[in-house]
Amino acid sequence: LRSDLDGFLRQLPTLQAGLPAAEASARLAQTVGLRGRMLAWHLGMHFWVRHLQVPGRGAPVLILHEEYTSFKDMVSSVVGMMVRNGQPQLVMMEVGVSAQEWLAPSLVRSVVGLQYVGIMLEPEDASAPGVQAQMAAYEQLKAEAEPEIASRMALHYASAQRAAAAFPDRSLDVALLDLRGSSAEVAQEQMTLWELKVKPAGVLMGIGFAPESMEIVKAVC
């Protein structure tokens, strides 16, 4: 927050009265509100983690970083840290791509050495409601891939098992799993499956670890 305020104060003398000044003030207000909400969320998470107990497992140790404003920020930070630590070429798999939250285009643009593979998960029941809409979203995402980064991105529509079978063990630098809504058994199965695909010193990340998702908490802990 201090850096945002300092940046605004440095910019202030150069702003013209009227719309430019109003827009800059609105952006600052939006940033302050966003960081305020994130701080409140992190404080709640810190309290929850300190008191978290899983029967037979004890309390896990987690690090919550206050500078993340979204899950996309966290993924970008982790990948960027790996690059800075001497891994300019990375292979990343995202399992459970969401059409509303697809982080790949911006991530691939920002990390030149990143090869990305995304898996939009096909439902077990092909006749289930929403399958056609999901297929349409998949086709739209593929069509929107920008030419300059398309060679470093691939998006597939498949089950997690089929996707995993297509990759050798220890071939991924980063695997990102969307476990939201999964049972503890399914989450544990997916983590075990994809852990085998990650290289030593690689990163296995997931979405869904939260107080309202105790099934995922049990699987992780």
Side-chain angles (χ1 to χ4, degrees):
L1 182 58
R2 175 58 63 88
S3 63
D4 295 320
L5 290 171
D6 289 344
F8 176 76
L9 292 175
R10 287 194 299 270
Q11 184 186 17
L12 191 58
T14 65
L15 292 175
Q16 298 179 357
L19 185 58
E23 288 178 339
S25 299
R27 285 194 297 270
L28 177 62
Q30 183 181 37
T31 300
V32 170
L34 176 61
R35 294 199 180 279
R37 289 194 298 274
M38 290 303 298
L39 177 59
W41 182 84
H42 276 290
L43 289 174
M45 286 292 287
H46 275 292
F47 178 84
W48 174 64
V49 168
R50 285 198 303 271
H51 296 83
L52 178 63
Q53 294 286 334
V54 179
R57 302 283 184 91
V61 176
L62 302 175
I63 299 174
L64 303 176
H65 199 302
E66 284 77 4
E67 291 302 313
Y68 300 142
T69 57
S70 67
F71 187 78
K72 182 185 293 186
D73 281 353
M74 192 201 75
V75 175
S76 298
S77 178
V78 170
V79 172
M81 181 173 59
M82 295 175 74
V83 173
R84 290 192 298 273
N85 287 340
Q87 294 179 257
Q89 303 296 321
L90 298 173
V91 179
M92 175 180 173
M93 169 79 80
E94 181 182 3
V95 183
V97 169
S98 168
Q100 292 75 36
E101 302 173 298
W102 200 29
L103 53 82
S106 61
L107 188 61
V108 172
R109 278 194 299 270
S110 63
V111 182
V112 176
L114 180 65
Q115 292 286 338
Y116 168 92
V117 180
I119 305 298
M120 183 174 282
L121 294 174
E122 62 183 10
E124 295 182 2
D125 182 2
S127 62
V131 171
Q132 293 300 321
Q134 186 178 20
M135 278 296 298
Y138 163 72
E139 295 294 345
Q140 182 176 355
L141 288 182
K142 289 196 67 173
E144 291 175 353
E146 301 169 19
E148 61 268 25
I149 60 174
S151 63
R152 295 189 289 118
M153 289 174 51
L155 181 63
H156 302 285
Y157 190 73
S159 67
Q161 287 71 23
R162 284 173 52 204
F167 280 78
D169 291 351
R170 309 306 182 200
S171 60
L172 302 175
D173 296 290
V174 182
L176 169 59
L177 313 180
D178 187 346
L179 300 173
R180 290 174 292 188
S182 301
S183 66
E185 291 76 15
V186 169
Q188 185 63 62
E189 175 186 311
Q190 290 299 306
M191 287 188 291
T192 301
L193 175 67
W194 289 101
E195 184 179 12
L196 294 173
K197 305 300 176 181
V198 176
K199 299 175 182 177
V203 177
L204 178 64
M205 294 189 289
I207 310 174
F209 189 94
E212 63 271 16
S213 303
M214 288 308 297
E215 288 290 302
I216 308 302
V217 173
K218 292 176 184 177
V220 172
C221 297

